[in-house]
Amino acid sequence: MLSKKSPIKYNIFIFLIKFYQKYLSILFGYGCCRYYPTCSEYALMNFKHNNIFVASFKTIIRILKCNPIFDSGFDYPIVNHKQKSILNTYKRNKKIIFFLVPINDNISGNKRNKFYIIKGI
Amino acid sequence: MDNLSMQTRVMIAAILSFGFFILFDTYYVQDIRKQQKKEQIEKKINTENQAPSMAESSLVAPEDDESIDLSVSIENDKNIISTIYSKDFNVYIDDKGRIGNVKLKGDKFGQDGLNMFSDDVVKPLEIRFSDKAINQEAFNTKYTSKKKTHNLDNKTIITLTQKLKDLTITKYITFFPNGSYLFKVVTSKDVKMFVTLGYRPSGEVDGFVFNGAIVKEFDNTLSLYEDGDVVSNTNFSKASIVSSSDKYYVHLLYDMDNNLKGVVSKYKDDDPLLFVNILNKQTLNGYVGEKNFKKLQDIDPALTDIVEYGFITFFAKPLFAFLIYINSYFDNWGWSIIILTIIIKILVFPLTYKGMMSMGRLKELTPQVKELQAKHKGDPAKSGAAMMALYKKHNASPMGGCLPILLQIPVFFAIYRVLLNAVELKGAEWTLWINDLSLHDPYFVLPILMGGSMFVQQLITPTTVTDPTQQKIFKFLPVVFTIFFLTFPAGLVLYWIVNNVLSIVQQYYINKKLEWKRMEKESHQK
């Protein structure tokens, strides 16, 4: 179970994406993605940390960009958090699930700041 | 996740995706229909509020279940009073003044021809009256025909008469060789009456496609009433075309100048049965026969709207129009499908080419990739990140991307629907042993060729998948696909084969080109 303080969301989209990753990705696009993290992983992170509309929008843009016309490479999901310290990890079973890496240098306590989400590996 | 063997998971994946394919189509269509029905009911309420007199005068009677006494007409005697013989079809008129049956003739309908309608149902062009007494009397009174046989060359007019106590009904049906007809009713005094479209044809019923009634409104919206889903009667007042059809055959009435009013009523098994309000001396247009795109287009281009492909219609319809255009040059649906596939492949080539070229560069990185994978064994996330860094460094994008893959799905889906639905493919020969593209290959050669071509394609395509288990699964996929394609229409399997073969050719060319480049580079260095 996730702790109540955790900002991680859970909804039908997350279920569907996980379902796709587990059962369907092998048929359609396994290993076809041009980015890291892959489109499905990017979508999953977005739906976990952003609201549905932002997450949907970002996912659609990402998939549209995932073709040979655009550059490939690293593209981490971005999230807004009201975060005081620079590195704050959510822990479960003492394993780091993800890192929030601030995009801007000037972190102020009261404003919402932009962070990259990087999955713990 | 690891409890299931990889093979089992591939099987599950395959079954789920194909199931999804079919279910999504079925339910999406249903949703559209339900929504449209709701809108219609709202519309009806509005018109009733605004102009009650009009609503009353137009449509009260058929809503009254008793006035549509279905039981009476079901006791079906096949007493044919008149027959029309034409080159392509026979029309039998029974003593209730209806189209008792239509027999389609031609090679693809077999030696005895194909009867479009089944026996114990309401037949097309039956007249119902709002006045119950007249209605009952009409059911018990036989029609008479002036002539017993008609030979149809250019056009032929059938005159049918029914004499009731205080009412004489005369039906004039003018048939044309293309299956279209004009229908006119003259009564000795004005009475309120309805003509039925009849129960839908039952020449070829297939659960995968749409069977039922379609009402096209003047504002070009289509309302679909699928078999088994009509739970209550629904009125329509601004229709231009009403049709009832199975997979391949259709009967329709239309009037492009005046609004058709009527009701979609609930028939046995919740199937739809349509009634159209017809006035004294009013002429309606009709068509009965195969749901052939070209034939319908020649009669009136608007009629092609009743060829329904589910939610993908917006894309499938132009695709099919294009296929017909190709076929007008080749006159062989098999070759036309091949040409269509080649054209689609050429159109998406620029998108795949760039990806494939950079993918080839990946091959040169394989030793380093393997090294990285050994380093991060059992940790896909870590090795994924490390590999991405490697690709970035060498300016090689690993794959074509998710978008091209996603785009392929609707294209395949549209082709699947078109080839499944098209009566044009029925009895269409291609070459050698394939003599019906709408049925599965009798010797299963095409599905096996499909699996083979898929296997070769995988063999020749460089991939980022280097994990041994996953490689095994990839090798296993052609087998799964072959099994699924065994019962698919030959035309569809043909599309898939051609698509694979073209991918192989494309990949071979790119592999060669990359090789030349490398050799050139090496010779430069020397």
Side-chain angles (χ1 to χ4, degrees):
Chain A
M1 282 297 287
L2 302 166
S3 82
K4 275 182 186 171
K5 279 183 181 174
S6 163
I8 297 177
K9 298 174 177 71
Y10 197 86
N11 57 41
I12 181 77
F13 291 98
I14 291 170
F15 170 78
L16 287 175
I17 295 165
K18 282 187 170 170
F19 186 82
Y20 163 80
Q21 288 185 327
K22 202 166 170 183
Y23 295 112
L24 297 180
S25 65
I26 198 120
L27 258 196
F28 295 115
Y30 190 83
C32 77
C33 193
R34 298 165 55 77
Y35 291 100
Y36 183 86
T38 61
C39 289
S40 63
E41 195 61 42
Y42 180 88
L44 191 65
M45 282 296 167
N46 259 302
F47 278 104
K48 277 183 178 173
H49 295 271
N50 285 319
N51 72 52
I52 289 174
F53 303 103
V54 173
S56 307
F57 178 74
K58 285 187 170 179
T59 303
I60 290 167
I61 294 295
R62 168 65 176 271
I63 291 171
L64 287 178
K65 270 168 66 186
C66 190
N67 70 65
I69 294 164
F70 290 85
D71 275 342
S72 67
F74 292 95
D75 179 20
Y76 288 100
I78 293 171
V79 68
N80 287 312
H81 268 311
K82 215 174 179 179
Q83 212 71 52
K84 278 176 186 157
S85 60
I86 289 173
L87 186 69
N88 192 353
T89 60
Y90 293 93
K91 286 182 179 180
R92 187 168 67 176
N93 299 334
K94 288 184 181 171
K95 195 189 158 200
I96 296 165
I97 303 168
F98 59 86
F99 300 96
L100 290 177
V101 180
I103 296 171
N104 305 319
D105 289 336
N106 48 338
I107 299 292
S108 56
N110 299 322
K111 275 191 220 150
R112 289 171 77 84
N113 296 296
K114 282 187 171 166
F115 293 88
Y116 287 118
I117 308 166
I118 297 178
K119 221 181 154 190
I121 49 177
Chain B
M1 181 169 170
D2 296 322
N3 293 343
L4 294 166
S5 79
M6 275 308 213
Q7 267 84 349
T8 327
R9 278 172 54 193
V10 176
M11 281 307 280
I12 293 171
I15 292 164
L16 284 174
S17 47
F18 276 85
F20 171 78
F21 216 30
I22 290 154
L23 284 179
F24 183 64
D25 189 38
T26 322
Y27 285 100
Y28 194 85
V29 171
Q30 269 180 16
D31 281 351
I32 291 177
R33 196 199 47 252
K34 270 177 201 153
Q35 201 190 332
Q36 281 172 340
K37 202 183 277 176
K38 213 176 114 194
E39 282 168 9
Q40 257 182 357
I41 291 166
E42 281 163 8
K43 232 186 264 172
K44 194 188 100 191
I45 292 166
N46 283 342
T47 50
E48 271 176 358
N49 287 346
Q50 285 161 1
S53 61
M54 186 214 149
E56 201 183 321
S57 66
S58 60
L59 293 165
V60 174
E63 257 194 322
D64 182 356
D65 281 345
E66 282 170 76
S67 72
I68 310 172
D69 192 351
L70 300 171
S71 62
V72 181
S73 73
I74 285 172
E75 46 143 298
N76 200 322
D77 40 19
K78 286 191 272 178
N79 296 328
I80 304 302
I81 55 167
S82 187
T83 310
I84 302 139
Y85 295 97
S86 114
K87 193 167 71 67
D88 299 324
F89 57 87
N90 297 346
V91 179
Y92 304 95
I93 306 291
D94 66 11
D95 61 7
K96 289 196 168 68
R98 319 177 292 186
I99 296 179
N101 220 326
V102 176
K103 180 185 274 186
L104 298 174
K105 297 186 285 193
D107 288 342
K108 63 175 171 181
F109 301 115
Q111 270 192 330
D112 302 329
L114 182 133
N115 287 320
M116 271 180 61
F117 297 98
S118 49
D119 285 337
D120 295 329
V121 293
V122 175
K123 294 293 174 61
L125 303 188
E126 186 173 313
I127 301 271
R128 300 287 172 88
F129 300 91
S130 293
D131 186 316
K132 270 188 220 168
I134 299 178
N135 207 40
Q136 194 56 42
E137 200 191 350
F139 276 130
N140 299 330
T141 313
K142 288 181 178 174
Y143 273 85
T144 52
S145 170
K146 264 188 181 170
K147 258 171 85 182
K148 246 194 129 40
T149 57
H150 298 79
N151 285 314
L152 174 54
D153 292 319
N154 286 324
K155 68 171 185 180
T156 185
I157 302 173
I158 305 136
T159 313
L160 305 163
T161 323
Q162 186 181 40
K163 285 201 168 74
L164 306 180
K165 244 186 331 197
D166 340 288
L167 186 70
T168 306
I169 302 132
T170 316
K171 288 181 181 178
Y172 299 96
I173 312 175
T174 314
F175 257 100
F176 298 95
N178 60 5
S180 65
Y181 65 84
L182 298 171
F183 179 67
K184 186 178 170 186
V185 185
V186 178
T187 47
S188 55
K189 64 176 182 187
D190 283 353
V191 284
K192 209 172 141 210
M193 58 189 171
F194 293 82
V195 59
T196 176
L197 206 52
Y199 186 68
R200 66 158 168 76
S202 310
E204 180 103 22
V205 182
D206 182 338
F208 287 129
V209 301
F210 176 82
N211 300 304
I214 300 175
V215 175
K216 192 193 173 198
E217 307 268 339
F218 253 97
D219 58 6
N220 284 334
T221 53
L222 290 180
S223 306
L224 309 181
Y225 300 89
E226 197 159 7
D227 277 6
D229 289 328
V230 180
V231 285
S232 62
N233 294 352
T234 315
N235 290 343
F236 56 87
S237 57
K238 283 195 172 75
S240 57
I241 308 170
V242 292
S243 85
S244 64
S245 61
D246 64 359
K247 184 180 178 183
Y248 289 152
Y249 309 99
V250 65
H251 175 232
L252 54 87
L253 288 170
Y254 65 98
D255 191 334
M256 298 303 176
D257 306 318
N258 305 300
N259 292 339
L260 295 176
K261 293 171 192 167
V263 60
V264 181
S265 71
K266 174 178 179 284
Y267 189 45
K268 61 173 183 180
D269 301 330
D270 291 346
D271 291 353
L273 183 65
L274 262 91
F275 292 90
V276 177
N277 188 202
I278 187 168
L279 305 170
N280 191 5
K281 291 174 190 164
Q282 187 185 350
T283 304
L284 293 179
N285 301 287
Y287 169 81
V288 62
E290 55 178 319
K291 216 192 310 181
N292 183 305
F293 196 91
K294 193 89 204 343
K295 270 188 182 176
L296 291 170
Q297 199 175 33
D298 288 346
I299 295 167
D300 192 318
L303 297 184
T304 57
D305 284 351
I306 58 97
V307 184
E308 178 61 36
Y309 301 106
F311 77 98
I312 200 83
T313 304
F314 74 96
F315 182 59
K317 204 182 153 187
L319 191 80
F320 189 52
F322 186 52
L323 183 63
I324 289 170
Y325 176 73
I326 296 170
N327 193 53
S328 64
Y329 289 99
F330 292 88
D331 201 27
N332 178 314
W333 289 101
W335 296 119
S336 303
I337 289 169
I338 292 172
I339 299 294
L340 177 74
T341 318
I342 292 172
I343 291 171
I344 291 175
K345 201 78 189 172
I346 289 170
L347 286 179
V348 294
F349 182 71
L351 202 64
T352 44
Y353 177 75
K354 210 179 154 192
M356 280 175 139
M357 285 301 279
S358 62
M359 217 153 74
R361 246 174 271 150
L362 278 188
K363 233 179 169 178
E364 297 157 28
L365 298 177
T366 310
Q368 292 167 63
V369 170
K370 280 209 170 128
E371 202 176 288
L372 279 174
Q373 261 161 354
K375 205 170 143 192
H376 307 289
K377 211 178 167 192
D379 196 342
K382 216 177 229 172
S383 71
M387 258 151 65
M388 191 50 74
L390 180 76
Y391 297 145
K392 192 87 191 161
K393 207 170 118 195
H394 289 83
N395 194 22
S397 20
M399 280 294 191
C402 304
L403 185 69
I405 300 269
L406 279 178
L407 283 180
Q408 266 179 28
I409 296 171
V411 172
F412 172 72
F413 196 54
I415 287 179
Y416 164 82
R417 282 310 300 250
V418 161
L419 299 186
L420 200 66
N421 259 42
V423 67
E424 285 85 348
L425 289 191
K426 186 182 159 66
E429 286 180 22
W430 175 40
T431 178
L432 301 174
W433 73 99
I434 304 289
N435 41 35
D436 192 341
L437 285 165
S438 70
L439 301 176
H440 69 76
D441 182 340
Y443 308 112
F444 304 109
V445 176
L446 287 183
I448 289 164
L449 279 177
M450 202 280 306
S453 61
M454 201 172 166
F455 178 75
V456 176
Q457 192 198 343
Q458 284 184 354
L459 220 60
I460 172 172
T461 310
T463 163
T464 47
V465 181
T466 36
D467 180 58
T469 339
Q470 275 161 353
Q471 271 180 343
K472 249 183 229 161
I473 294 162
F474 264 57
K475 295 275 143 70
F476 191 63
L477 271 182
V479 182
V480 177
F481 269 77
T482 306
I483 294 166
F484 271 108
F485 274 66
L486 283 182
T487 55
F488 271 44
L492 190 66
V493 185
L494 183 64
Y495 157 74
W496 207 247
I497 294 175
V498 177
N499 199 29
N500 283 350
V501 169
L502 290 174
S503 299
I504 292 169
V505 172
Q506 196 176 324
Q507 190 61 54
Y508 183 79
Y509 165 74
I510 282 163
N511 285 358
K512 273 271 171 278
K513 198 169 175 184
L514 284 165
E515 213 172 293
W516 289 332
K517 261 192 178 173
R518 200 167 50 233
M519 274 157 69
E520 216 172 83
K521 223 174 166 184
E522 277 167 15
S523 65
H524 259 286
Q525 281 168 353
K526 276 172 196 172

Coordinates of all heavy atoms in Angstrom, one line a residue, chain B residues 133-164:
Chain B
A133 N -59.6 -1.8 -38.9 CA -60.5 -2.7 -39.7 C -60.0 -2.9 -41.1 O -59.9 -4.0 -41.7 CB -61.9 -2.0 -39.8
I134 N -59.5 -1.8 -41.7 CA -58.9 -1.9 -43.1 C -57.7 -2.8 -43.1 O -57.5 -3.7 -43.9 CB -58.5 -0.5 -43.6 CG1 -59.8 0.4 -43.7 CG2 -57.9 -0.6 -45.0 CD1 -59.4 1.8 -44.2
N135 N -56.9 -2.6 -42.0 CA -55.7 -3.4 -41.9 C -56.0 -4.9 -41.9 O -55.4 -5.7 -42.6 CB -55.0 -3.0 -40.6 CG -53.5 -3.2 -40.7 OD1 -52.9 -3.0 -41.7 ND2 -52.9 -3.8 -39.6
Q136 N -57.0 -5.3 -41.1 CA -57.4 -6.7 -41.0 C -57.9 -7.2 -42.3 O -57.6 -8.3 -42.7 CB -58.4 -6.8 -39.8 CG -58.6 -8.2 -39.4 CD -57.3 -8.9 -38.9 OE1 -56.5 -8.3 -38.3 NE2 -57.1 -10.1 -39.4
E137 N -58.8 -6.4 -42.9 CA -59.4 -6.8 -44.1 C -58.3 -7.0 -45.2 O -58.3 -7.9 -46.0 CB -60.4 -5.7 -44.6 CG -61.4 -6.3 -45.6 CD -62.2 -5.2 -46.2 OE1 -62.1 -4.0 -45.7 OE2 -62.9 -5.5 -47.2
A138 N -57.3 -6.1 -45.2 CA -56.3 -6.1 -46.2 C -55.4 -7.4 -46.1 O -55.0 -8.0 -47.1 CB -55.4 -4.9 -46.1
F139 N -55.2 -7.8 -44.8 CA -54.5 -9.1 -44.6 C -55.2 -10.3 -45.2 O -54.6 -11.2 -45.6 CB -54.2 -9.3 -43.1 CG -53.1 -8.5 -42.6 CD1 -53.1 -7.7 -41.4 CD2 -51.8 -8.6 -43.2 CE1 -52.0 -7.0 -41.0 CE2 -50.7 -7.9 -42.8 CZ -50.8 -7.1 -41.6
N140 N -56.5 -10.2 -45.1 CA -57.3 -11.4 -45.6 C -57.6 -11.4 -47.1 O -58.3 -12.3 -47.6 CB -58.5 -11.5 -44.8 CG -58.2 -11.7 -43.3 OD1 -57.2 -12.3 -43.0 ND2 -59.1 -11.2 -42.4
T141 N -57.3 -10.3 -47.7 CA -57.7 -10.1 -49.1 C -56.4 -10.3 -50.0 O -55.4 -9.6 -49.8 CB -58.3 -8.8 -49.4 OG1 -59.3 -8.6 -48.4 CG2 -59.0 -8.7 -50.8
K142 N -56.6 -11.1 -51.1 CA -55.4 -11.3 -51.9 C -55.3 -10.2 -53.0 O -56.3 -9.7 -53.5 CB -55.5 -12.7 -52.6 CG -55.3 -13.8 -51.5 CD -55.3 -15.2 -52.1 CE -55.0 -16.2 -51.0 NZ -55.1 -17.5 -51.5
Y143 N -54.0 -10.0 -53.4 CA -53.8 -9.1 -54.5 C -53.9 -9.9 -55.8 O -53.7 -11.1 -55.8 CB -52.3 -8.6 -54.4 CG -52.2 -7.3 -53.6 CD1 -52.0 -7.4 -52.2 CD2 -52.1 -6.1 -54.2 CE1 -51.8 -6.3 -51.4 CE2 -51.9 -4.9 -53.4 CZ -51.8 -5.0 -52.0 OH -51.6 -3.9 -51.3
T144 N -54.2 -9.2 -56.8 CA -54.1 -9.8 -58.2 C -53.2 -9.0 -59.0 O -53.0 -7.8 -58.9 CB -55.5 -9.8 -58.8 OG1 -56.0 -8.4 -58.8 CG2 -56.5 -10.7 -58.1
S145 N -52.6 -9.7 -59.9 CA -51.6 -9.1 -60.8 C -52.2 -9.2 -62.3 O -52.8 -10.1 -62.7 CB -50.3 -9.8 -60.8 OG -49.4 -9.4 -61.8
K146 N -51.9 -8.1 -63.0 CA -52.3 -8.1 -64.4 C -51.6 -9.1 -65.2 O -52.2 -9.8 -66.0 CB -52.0 -6.7 -65.0 CG -53.2 -5.8 -65.0 CD -52.8 -4.5 -65.8 CE -54.0 -3.5 -65.7 NZ -53.6 -2.2 -66.3
K147 N -50.3 -9.3 -65.0 CA -49.5 -10.3 -65.8 C -48.8 -11.2 -64.9 O -48.3 -10.8 -63.8 CB -48.5 -9.5 -66.7 CG -48.9 -9.3 -68.1 CD -47.9 -8.4 -68.8 CE -46.7 -9.1 -69.3 NZ -45.8 -8.2 -70.0
K148 N -48.7 -12.5 -65.3 CA -48.0 -13.5 -64.4 C -46.5 -13.4 -64.6 O -45.8 -13.6 -63.6 CB -48.5 -14.9 -64.8 CG -49.3 -15.4 -63.6 CD -49.5 -16.9 -63.7 CE -49.1 -17.7 -62.5 NZ -49.3 -17.1 -61.2
T149 N -46.0 -13.2 -65.8 CA -44.6 -13.1 -65.9 C -44.2 -11.8 -66.6 O -44.9 -11.3 -67.5 CB -44.0 -14.3 -66.7 OG1 -44.7 -14.3 -68.0 CG2 -44.2 -15.6 -66.0
H150 N -43.1 -11.3 -66.2 CA -42.5 -10.1 -66.9 C -41.1 -10.4 -67.2 O -40.3 -10.9 -66.4 CB -42.5 -8.9 -65.9 CG -43.9 -8.5 -65.4 ND1 -44.6 -9.1 -64.5 CD2 -44.7 -7.4 -65.8 CE1 -45.7 -8.6 -64.3 NE2 -45.8 -7.5 -65.1
N151 N -40.7 -10.0 -68.4 CA -39.3 -10.1 -68.8 C -38.7 -8.7 -68.8 O -39.2 -7.8 -69.4 CB -39.1 -10.7 -70.2 CG -39.4 -12.2 -70.1 OD1 -38.8 -12.9 -69.2 ND2 -40.2 -12.7 -71.0
L152 N -37.7 -8.5 -68.0 CA -37.1 -7.2 -67.7 C -35.9 -7.0 -68.7 O -34.9 -7.6 -68.6 CB -36.7 -7.1 -66.2 CG -35.9 -5.9 -65.8 CD1 -36.7 -4.6 -66.1 CD2 -35.7 -6.0 -64.3
D153 N -36.1 -6.0 -69.6 CA -35.0 -5.6 -70.4 C -34.6 -4.2 -70.1 O -33.5 -4.0 -69.5 CB -35.4 -5.7 -71.9 CG -35.7 -7.1 -72.3 OD1 -34.9 -8.0 -71.9 OD2 -36.6 -7.4 -73.1
N154 N -35.4 -3.2 -70.3 CA -35.1 -1.8 -70.0 C -35.8 -1.5 -68.7 O -35.2 -1.0 -67.7 CB -35.4 -0.9 -71.1 CG -34.5 -1.0 -72.2 OD1 -33.3 -1.2 -72.0 ND2 -35.0 -0.9 -73.4
K155 N -37.1 -1.7 -68.7 CA -37.8 -1.5 -67.4 C -39.1 -2.2 -67.6 O -39.6 -2.5 -68.7 CB -38.0 0.0 -67.1 CG -38.9 0.7 -68.0 CD -39.2 2.1 -67.4 CE -40.2 2.9 -68.3 NZ -40.5 4.2 -67.7
T156 N -39.7 -2.6 -66.5 CA -41.0 -3.2 -66.6 C -41.9 -2.8 -65.4 O -41.4 -2.5 -64.3 CB -40.8 -4.8 -66.6 OG1 -42.1 -5.4 -66.7 CG2 -40.3 -5.3 -65.2
I157 N -43.2 -2.6 -65.7 CA -44.1 -2.1 -64.7 C -45.0 -3.2 -64.3 O -45.6 -3.8 -65.1 CB -44.9 -0.9 -65.2 CG1 -43.9 0.3 -65.6 CG2 -45.8 -0.4 -64.1 CD1 -44.7 1.4 -66.3
I158 N -45.0 -3.4 -63.0 CA -45.9 -4.5 -62.4 C -47.1 -3.7 -61.8 O -46.9 -2.8 -61.0 CB -45.3 -5.3 -61.4 CG1 -44.0 -5.9 -62.0 CG2 -46.2 -6.4 -60.8 CD1 -42.8 -5.9 -61.1
T159 N -48.3 -4.1 -62.1 CA -49.5 -3.5 -61.5 C -50.2 -4.5 -60.6 O -50.6 -5.6 -61.1 CB -50.4 -3.0 -62.6 OG1 -49.7 -2.3 -63.6 CG2 -51.5 -2.1 -62.0
L160 N -50.3 -4.2 -59.4 CA -50.9 -5.1 -58.4 C -52.2 -4.5 -57.8 O -52.1 -3.3 -57.4 CB -50.0 -5.5 -57.3 CG -48.6 -6.1 -57.7 CD1 -47.6 -6.0 -56.6 CD2 -48.8 -7.5 -58.2
T161 N -53.3 -5.2 -57.7 CA -54.5 -4.6 -57.2 C -55.1 -5.4 -56.1 O -55.0 -6.6 -56.1 CB -55.5 -4.5 -58.4 OG1 -54.8 -4.2 -59.6 CG2 -56.5 -3.4 -58.1
Q162 N -55.6 -4.7 -55.1 CA -56.3 -5.3 -54.0 C -57.6 -4.6 -53.8 O -57.6 -3.4 -53.7 CB -55.4 -5.2 -52.7 CG -56.0 -5.9 -51.6 CD -55.2 -5.8 -50.3 OE1 -54.7 -4.7 -50.0 NE2 -55.0 -6.8 -49.5
K163 N -58.7 -5.4 -53.9 CA -60.0 -4.7 -53.8 C -60.6 -5.0 -52.4 O -61.0 -6.2 -52.1 CB -60.9 -5.2 -54.9 CG -60.6 -4.6 -56.2 CD -61.8 -4.7 -57.2 CE -61.6 -3.9 -58.4 NZ -60.6 -4.5 -59.4
L164 N -60.7 -4.0 -51.6 CA -61.4 -4.2 -50.3 C -62.8 -3.6 -50.4 O -63.2 -3.1 -51.5 CB -60.7 -3.4 -49.2 CG -59.2 -3.7 -49.0 CD1 -58.6 -2.9 -47.9 CD2 -59.0 -5.2 -48.8

